[in-house]
């Protein structure tokens, strides 16, 4: 790498406040600034890919063609400055799938390096990592939501030493949550996403007139309803109005738009990368090609007519029961499947209809989807990008796909984004590079962070990239020093000891004072303040 290029890349990143005069910073950075601790600085690097055609995540019912599906990837890296060096502390990847009837956000990976303690946040400060995760997912939900279609956020919570930052487990300051703690953490992350007004936009403080209905679903294989409910955030369990939107041991798979309730079970379960239920679906699909057993050949023809359905699994409930015995779910640690479903106001059953008639539905939308049965459109040859191509407004020059899928309505301000857009080929290369770096100690992590940030800039043909966000949120609570990052309730009022007091019995004295205050005196409590309950004979 050229020395002069290194000098350019190591220049300070653009500050959020410095850039408001010359650059239209998108809503994500404003929301992050409003939610993060005041006066603390974070460097945000946001990568994305243009929406491109991808294999359908839902299997097609018998006699129908797979849904046209597009996918775009979003990767958020968060760094901090320590001794004039940038150090990555957190990263989150979200895949956005869009079809004619449904938008799906799949939280693919999330990981931390354990160096967030270098900020020396005050004790009792809420975890910035949880705040960043909630804000980023909320931003994607609002940016990709369509007024007449449902949107679902889906994730799989499994505790693991490291996902994105190799060697970070060797950092003694990295706190790896156990299986139960991780499921609870993700529930706390998604809870604010259900209420987007918790992340106000300083540029547009007026709330939306019609707020979509949001519901959360959680399945923890091998746990009953009461055990599953214990993973919900504490304030949700204490508030009936919030608890009504959380559904333990349930899933929304049959109620999502575009899914017909009468479709085979395999057509209701989406297939995501590195997802255990997707691997189970692939194994069950082998039953569709295997010849029936001897016992099955003796069944009556009416019982044997189950086109496109598994022989061993006859319902979604049975599917989840068997999931509890899968290797990923029965290795001694709990895993969680979590969904957040956003339904537009005034959403009707007609909007929810599935692809029950392949000829009618495809003919109706032939103008949107292109020739029926035609091959998916392949992106043009991936060439190194210049600055103009990398601008988000270049989305119009990306591979042509259905506008209803890839282009939800956006305001002119949202067209200018902090995200650095890369073709899928370069995006995959950058991700592979991250998995070959090392974050075992502070010096190595600083070098790895520098290499990753510079390599992205070189790959994209940019001189520098990223934005510095300065937190603006006042934190109410303890002041002592410490690592910070604990998930606590801000400004909690603790009842004083005098507010809860036993009722004094008649005839009991007020206590005996021995000596005087300030002279080493000892105050003896009255005998009536601590009294055993009399025995009843």
């Amino acid at each position: 790498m050229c020395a002069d290029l290194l000098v350019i890349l190591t220049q300070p990143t653009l500050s959020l406040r410095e850039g408001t005069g010359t650059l239209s910073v998108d809503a994500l950075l404003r929301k992050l600034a409003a939610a993060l601790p005041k006066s603390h600085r974070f460097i945000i690097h946001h990568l994305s890919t243009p929406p491109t055609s991808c294999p359908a995540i839902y299997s097609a019912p018998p006699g129908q063609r797979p849904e046209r599906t597009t996918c775009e990837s979003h990767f958020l890296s968060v760094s901090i400055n320590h001794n004039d060096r940038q150090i990555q502390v957190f990263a989150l990847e979200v895949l956005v799938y869009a079809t004619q009837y449904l938008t799906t956000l799949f939280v693919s990976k999330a990981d931390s390096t354990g160096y967030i303690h270098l900020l020396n946040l005050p004790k009792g400060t809420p975890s910035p990592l949880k705040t960043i995760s909630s804000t980023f997912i909320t931003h994607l939900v609002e940016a990709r939501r369509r007024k007449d279609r449902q949107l679902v956020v889906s994730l799989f919570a499994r505790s693991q030493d490291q996902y994105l930052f190799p060697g970070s487990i060797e950092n003694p300051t990295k706190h790896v949550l156990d299986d139960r703690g991780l499921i609870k953490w993700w529930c706390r992350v998604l809870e604010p996403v259900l209420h987007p007004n918790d992340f106000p936009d300083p540029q547009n403080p007026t709330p939306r007139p019609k707020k979509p209905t949001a519901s959360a679903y959680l399945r923890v294989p091998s746990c009953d309803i009461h055990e599953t409910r214990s993973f919900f955030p504490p304030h949700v369990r204490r508030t009936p109005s919030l608890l009504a939107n959380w559904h333990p041991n349930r899933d929304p798979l049959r109620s999502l738009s575009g899914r017909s309730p009468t479709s085979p079970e395999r057509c209701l379960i989406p297939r995501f990368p590195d997802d255990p239920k997707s691997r189970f679906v692939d194994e069950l699909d082998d039953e569709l090609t295997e010849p029936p057993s001897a016992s099955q050949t003796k069944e009556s023809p009416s019982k044997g007519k189950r086109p496109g359905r598994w022989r061993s699994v006859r319902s979604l409930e049975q599917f989840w029961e068997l999931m509890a015995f899968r290797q990923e779910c029965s290795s001694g640690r709990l895993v969680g499947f979590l969904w957040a479903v956003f339904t537009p106001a005034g959403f009707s059953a007609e909007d929810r209809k599935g692809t029950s008639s392949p000829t009618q539905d495809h003919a109706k939308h032939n103008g949107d989807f292109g020739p029926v049965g035609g091959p998916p459109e392949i992106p043009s040859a991936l060439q190194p990008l210049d600055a103009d191509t990398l601008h988000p407004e270049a989305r119009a020059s990306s591979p042509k796909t259905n506008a209803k899928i890839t282009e939800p309505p956006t305001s002119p301000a949202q067209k200018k984004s902090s995200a650095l857009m890369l073709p899928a080929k370069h995006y995959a290369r950058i991700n592979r590079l991250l998995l070959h770096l090392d974050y075992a100690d502070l010096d190595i992590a600083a070098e790895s962070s520098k290499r990753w940030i510079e390599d992205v800039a070189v790959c994209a043909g940019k001189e520098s990239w990223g934005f510095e966000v300065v937190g603006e949120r006042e934190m109410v609570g303890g002041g002592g020093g410490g690592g910070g990052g604990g998930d606590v309730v801000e400004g909690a009022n603790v009842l004083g000891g005098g507010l809860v007091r036993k009722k004094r019995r008649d005839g009991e004295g007020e206590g005996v004072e021995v000596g005087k205050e300030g002279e080493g005196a000892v105050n003896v409590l009255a005998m009536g303040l601590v009294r055993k309950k009399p025995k009843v004979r």
Side-chain angles (χ1 to χ4, degrees):
M1 190 179 297
C2 299
D4 56 343
L5 182 58
L6 281 175
V7 175
I8 295 176
L9 290 175
T10 53
Q11 290 179 353
T13 54
L14 179 64
S15 171
L16 173 63
R17 296 183 179 181
E18 294 173 354
T20 54
T22 58
L23 180 65
S24 177
V25 183
D26 71 350
L28 172 62
L29 302 182
R30 294 197 300 268
K31 292 175 184 177
L32 286 173
L36 289 171
K38 186 173 183 179
S39 301
H40 290 282
R41 299 175 179 272
F42 301 82
I43 297 93
I44 306 298
H45 296 95
H46 181 192
L47 284 174
S48 68
T49 63
T52 54
S53 297
C54 69
I57 59 176
Y58 288 98
S59 300
Q64 300 185 26
R65 295 184 176 90
E67 292 179 289
R68 286 286 299 273
T69 307
T70 63
C71 176
E72 58 179 297
S73 303
H74 290 265
F75 189 89
L76 186 76
S77 172
V78 182
S79 307
I80 60 174
N81 273 323
H82 180 70
N83 294 335
D84 296 328
R85 299 185 298 179
Q86 290 190 25
I87 300 175
Q88 291 174 291
V89 296
F90 182 68
L92 175 68
E93 183 182 39
V94 179
L95 308 180
V96 182
Y97 297 93
T99 64
Q100 176 186 348
Y101 293 102
L102 182 67
T103 303
T104 304
L105 273 65
F106 176 63
V107 181
S108 175
K109 295 181 181 67
D111 196 10
S112 64
T113 60
Y115 298 108
I116 191 68
H117 73 283
L118 297 175
L119 287 177
N120 294 321
L121 296 172
K123 186 177 181 180
T125 303
S127 169
L129 307 185
K130 182 177 72 68
T131 301
I132 292 171
S133 301
S134 299
T135 307
F136 185 55
I137 297 176
T138 300
H139 169 74
L140 293 179
V141 168
E142 294 181 346
R144 293 296 174 263
R145 193 165 55 204
R146 291 177 279 179
K147 63 180 181 179
D148 56 348
R149 294 293 183 264
Q150 283 183 312
L151 183 145
V152 57
V153 178
S154 176
L155 65 89
F156 169 61
R158 175 179 57 190
S159 179
Q160 192 167 311
D161 294 340
Q162 54 195 24
Y163 272 104
L164 293 170
F165 298 109
S168 59
I169 188 59
E170 300 179 18
N171 175 18
T173 61
K174 179 174 181 176
H175 176 55
V176 179
L177 294 174
D178 59 11
D179 50 357
R180 292 180 176 272
L182 184 65
I183 298 174
K184 292 179 179 179
W185 189 86
W186 276 114
C187 287
R188 293 196 299 270
V189 167
L190 281 192
E191 199 281 329
V193 180
L194 302 178
H195 313 284
N197 288 339
D198 291 351
F199 296 95
D201 186 351
Q203 302 295 329
N204 184 22
T206 305
R208 294 176 176 81
K210 292 185 178 180
K211 187 177 180 180
T213 303
S215 301
Y217 301 80
L218 174 64
R219 276 193 178 273
V220 181
S222 74
C223 288
D224 58 22
I225 292 180
H226 301 287
E227 292 174 319
T228 305
R229 190 179 287 116
S230 66
F231 294 103
F232 295 168
H235 71 281
V236 170
R237 300 196 304 266
R238 293 192 301 262
T239 310
S241 60
L242 297 178
L243 186 60
N245 296 327
W246 286 75
H247 307 283
N249 265 15
R250 289 181 56 189
D251 60 75
L253 299 181
R254 285 196 181 275
S255 61
L256 295 178
S257 57
R259 309 294 105 209
S260 173
T262 59
S263 298
E265 287 72 19
R266 62 184 298 269
C267 304
L268 304 175
I269 303 172
R271 303 169 189 248
F272 298 122
D274 193 23
D275 187 25
K277 66 178 183 297
S278 302
R279 289 188 285 269
F280 190 25
V281 169
D282 292 338
E283 292 184 14
L284 291 174
D285 281 351
D286 293 338
E287 300 178 359
L288 303 178
T289 58
E290 292 178 355
S293 62
S295 60
Q296 289 174 324
T297 57
K298 298 178 182 179
E299 292 181 351
S300 64
S302 61
K303 293 184 178 180
K305 291 181 179 180
R306 292 175 54 87
R309 297 183 183 272
W310 301 315
R311 292 194 297 270
S312 59
V313 176
R314 302 298 182 96
S315 65
L316 285 178
E317 285 299 327
Q318 187 178 6
F319 175 85
W320 289 113
E321 289 176 4
L322 295 177
M323 274 295 300
F325 300 96
R326 298 282 298 173
Q327 180 179 0
E328 296 94 337
C329 306
S330 62
S331 58
R333 295 185 298 179
L334 297 177
V335 298
F337 298 89
L338 191 58
W339 299 268
V341 180
F342 299 85
T343 303
F347 191 74
S348 62
E350 180 67 19
D351 298 325
R352 195 188 298 272
K353 75 169 192 174
T355 54
S356 57
S357 175
T359 57
Q360 178 182 359
D361 289 345
H362 282 268
K364 178 180 179 181
H365 301 283
N366 188 22
D368 297 333
F369 283 86
V372 176
E377 299 178 11
I378 305 299
S380 58
L382 299 176
Q383 302 294 336
L385 301 179
D386 54 22
D388 295 334
T389 307
L390 287 170
H391 196 281
E393 291 179 349
R395 185 188 299 264
S397 62
S398 62
K400 294 182 179 180
T401 52
N402 179 15
K404 290 185 178 179
I405 294 179
T406 62
E407 293 291 342
T410 55
S411 63
Q414 289 177 325
K415 292 183 179 180
K416 290 188 176 182
S417 169
S418 63
L420 181 65
M421 187 169 291
L422 294 176
K425 178 180 179 179
H426 296 314
Y427 179 89
R429 177 185 176 276
I430 294 302
N431 276 357
R432 288 195 300 268
L433 171 65
L434 183 64
L435 298 178
H436 287 83
L437 298 176
D438 193 359
Y439 295 83
D441 60 50
L442 186 59
D443 293 331
I444 297 177
E447 291 297 327
S448 297
S449 302
K450 178 182 177 182
R451 180 182 175 185
W452 185 83
I453 295 171
E454 293 178 351
D455 198 87
V456 173
V458 172
C459 182
K462 300 282 285 186
E463 294 183 353
S464 62
W465 70 298
F467 292 88
E468 184 179 74
V469 175
V470 182
E472 300 174 352
R473 186 177 183 182
E474 293 280 358
M475 295 298 170
V476 181
D487 295 329
V488 298
V489 179
E490 302 173 28
N493 294 324
V494 181
L495 294 178
L499 297 181
V500 181
R501 185 173 181 174
K502 292 183 179 180
K503 184 178 180 180
R504 182 183 302 138
R505 299 176 182 273
D506 294 334
E508 293 175 352
E510 293 292 335
V512 180
E513 179 178 336
V514 180
K516 298 181 180 180
E517 294 182 4
E519 298 180 1
V522 178
N523 295 329
V524 181
L525 294 176
M527 295 299 295
L529 296 180
V530 181
R531 185 184 180 95
K532 292 184 178 180
K533 184 177 181 181
K535 295 182 179 180
V536 179
R537 296 182 179 179

